[in-house]
Amino acid sequence: MSKPVSVDDNSFDQVVLKAERPVVVDLWAPWCQPCKMIAPILDELADEYNGQINFVKVDIDQNPKTAARYGIMSIPTLLIFKDGQPVSQLVGLRPKRELKQNMDAALK
Amino acid sequence: MPQDKTSYDVIITGGGPAGLSAGIYTARARLSTLLIERLAIGGQIATAEQVDNYPGFPDGIGGFELGQLMHQQATKYGLQTVTADVTSIKPAEKDITVNTTADDYTARAVIIAGGSKRQKLGVPGEEEFTGRGVSYCATCDAAFFREKPVAVVGGGDAAITEAIHLTKFASKVTVIHRRNELRATRILQEIAFAQPNMEFSWDSTVEAIEGESFVERLSLNNVRTGEKSTLVVSGVFISIGFQPDTGFLKGVVPMDANGLIITNERMETGIPGIYAAGDIRQNSARQAITAAGDGATAAIYAQKYLTEQA
């Protein structure tokens, strides 16, 4: 079972931008109900893409710099990074199928 | 993940209180049951921070937690779940076919419990600025708008609750409502009118959401005078209600002009083996508890129907 790991403003560059694989970043906050709803889906996807894509989460309440850096104004937002660059931004609760399409695209 | 099995006694579409309650009943009746959910378990109630009117929880319960508990309960009795979009339902003499984006399934009975989707404004800029100032969840996103002017579109309980929440963060909250009075319940109106940083733009509709990279202003139209105006905001929260998710069911089950499925008191749609429960049906009280009741009713009559068919 592979689960998304927490990263913070300090570890973000190292863990996300310098990763050798694509990284899915889940931007969330404790007060956000749809963030709770999307979490089990991301757990499933972390398992399905284990070894291909890294999954991390950023609590934007504790780490406002990362949210500001990418102009995040709505959560949940998923950012998919490839070679240090955001290649997809998915805002709100989205169907798992759509998340997979974006993840598959990042693997190409 | 697609299930290996594609043939079931009962298929339930929608994983909110209606579908989950139906699943508890059919699974306990030892009917093989598949629940198909489009987004996430719990449905609309899961987005509620706190639910205070569901019996059995005197201190209230989080909507997400309530949905998870219902799902655990149904799963314990053998309910299977798949995440997919239902694309069509085809009734037939014997088995009903349910086509989805994951797989095609068949069942002897189907309970449609797909609830409703958030209504969008459908104006220029709405899609483009989603996540860049356009939001559908004030509790999620209020913190991004500290000391900034925002607008709320709508006049019902949900809209006014969101507006009140936003006054704690935003410099100013303008409620834009197409009528000249609120539909929200009196106590919410009293709280809203007492907020020093809340204003109202009556008889108004949003024509466009504009800005460069982020929302900067709204174009408003006064529906009474036809006068156009501009409102400078950094964010706009849209809360204008819900619409049933039944477009793909046209011609399959009877619906009213609003797209709500017509049922009798047994949740029967008139099409043998097909039932509807919860917010998706006409005259629903649109509460978690009534949806759960609908789901149980549908499950009991589906079970009866299957016994009679056997």
Side-chain angles (χ1 to χ4, degrees):
Chain A
M1 190 77 187
S2 165
K3 280 214 162 196
V5 293
S6 291
V7 298
D8 59 26
D9 282 343
N10 297 321
S11 62
F12 190 86
D13 285 20
Q14 187 62 39
V15 178
V16 176
L17 302 188
K18 293 186 179 155
E20 295 190 350
R21 292 178 191 148
V23 185
V24 172
V25 180
D26 169 21
L27 297 127
W28 70 286
W31 58 71
C32 161
Q33 298 299 310
C35 298
K36 291 186 188 173
M37 294 170 76
I38 207 171
I41 299 167
L42 292 172
D43 288 352
E44 285 174 23
L45 289 168
D47 251 355
E48 290 173 34
Y49 288 89
N50 191 13
Q52 294 178 281
I53 296 179
N54 296 344
F55 285 75
V56 305
K57 51 185 180 181
V58 178
D59 176 349
I60 58 100
D61 187 33
Q62 303 293 322
N63 302 285
K65 280 185 199 158
T66 301
R69 185 172 172 186
Y70 295 100
I72 302 303
M73 295 176 93
S74 193
I75 50 172
T77 286
L78 298 184
L79 288 172
I80 304 178
F81 284 84
K82 196 176 177 180
D83 302 322
Q85 296 296 321
V87 291
S88 295
Q89 180 170 0
L90 297 151
V91 180
L93 207 51
R94 301 291 189 97
K96 187 177 175 185
R97 180 174 45 89
E98 192 184 340
L99 305 184
K100 287 183 74 141
Q101 281 166 0
N102 281 271
M103 288 169 197
D104 290 339
L107 284 172
K108 283 194 184 134
Chain B
M1 205 173 281
Q3 309 291 329
D4 297 335
K5 187 172 147 70
T6 57
S7 179
Y8 290 85
D9 292 325
V10 180
I11 287 177
I12 299 165
T13 69
L20 292 169
S21 166
I24 291 168
Y25 276 78
T26 58
R28 282 174 56 84
R30 294 288 180 238
L31 297 168
S32 67
T33 307
L34 177 70
L35 184 140
I36 305 169
E37 165 58 38
R38 189 174 75 92
L39 280 176
I41 288 300
Q44 228 183 87
I45 194 70
T47 64
E49 198 171 358
Q50 167 108 347
V51 180
D52 286 317
N53 55 11
Y54 201 92
F57 300 96
D59 301 321
I61 181 168
F64 174 76
E65 286 74 19
L66 182 60
Q68 293 295 309
L69 288 173
M70 289 182 185
H71 189 235
Q72 280 171 25
Q73 191 173 348
T75 302
K76 184 172 95 175
Y77 295 111
L79 176 81
Q80 292 188 38
T81 305
V82 65
T83 306
D85 270 313
V86 176
T87 49
S88 64
I89 295 176
K90 291 175 189 142
E93 189 87 356
K94 197 165 171 281
D95 282 348
I96 301 156
T97 303
V98 179
N99 301 110
T100 80
T101 48
D103 218 331
D104 297 329
Y105 302 96
T106 57
R108 293 156 62 214
V110 171
I111 299 170
I112 301 166
S116 45
K117 273 186 184 170
R118 200 175 286 279
Q119 181 114 31
K120 296 202 167 179
L121 272 180
V123 300
E126 183 177 15
E127 291 288 331
E128 184 190 345
F129 290 114
T130 293
R132 299 179 175 280
V134 172
S135 173
Y136 301 89
C137 177
T139 48
C140 303
D141 299 338
F144 295 110
F145 299 91
R146 276 179 222 276
E147 301 305 320
K148 290 175 180 167
V150 299
V152 172
V153 186
D157 282 352
I160 301 309
T161 304
E162 301 225 308
I164 293 166
H165 180 72
L166 283 161
T167 58
K168 297 172 191 133
F169 298 84
S171 56
K172 191 177 85 176
V173 179
T174 306
V175 174
I176 300 163
H177 189 41
R178 62 164 67 217
R179 299 195 294 168
N180 65 357
E181 57 181 353
L182 299 175
R183 205 175 52 242
T185 192
R186 271 299 159 87
I187 186 158
L188 289 174
Q189 293 197 28
E190 287 166 14
I191 299 168
F193 293 138
Q195 300 302 316
N197 61 340
M198 200 185 293
E199 291 181 4
F200 295 85
S201 189
W202 302 109
D203 299 313
S204 297
T205 56
V206 177
E207 302 250 286
I209 300 165
E210 295 160 345
E212 283 292 322
S213 307
F214 298 95
V215 171
E216 292 170 18
R217 62 195 170 270
L218 307 177
S219 290
L220 304 183
N221 175 46
N222 186 305
V223 293
R224 208 165 270 205
T225 63
E227 194 187 326
K228 313 280 182 200
S229 61
T230 299
L231 180 70
V232 173
V233 292
S234 300
V236 54
F237 291 79
I238 297 162
S239 186
I240 53 169
F242 294 85
Q243 57 184 19
D245 198 1
T246 52
F248 69 102
L249 289 169
K250 275 208 180 85
V252 179
V253 291
M255 285 180 218
D256 68 11
N258 297 318
L260 295 161
I261 300 172
I262 299 164
T263 66
N264 62 14
E265 71 281 4
R266 297 174 172 196
M267 308 300 139
E268 293 165 341
T269 62
I271 310 299
I274 302 186
Y275 302 77
D279 287 12
I280 204 162
R281 72 178 193 92
Q282 192 185 42
N283 297 331
S284 162
R286 301 177 50 79
Q287 301 295 306
I289 184 62
T290 59
D294 280 5
T297 304
I300 285 165
Y301 287 104
Q303 186 193 344
K304 237 178 165 170
Y305 166 79
L306 292 177
T307 310
E308 285 162 8
Q309 293 293 302

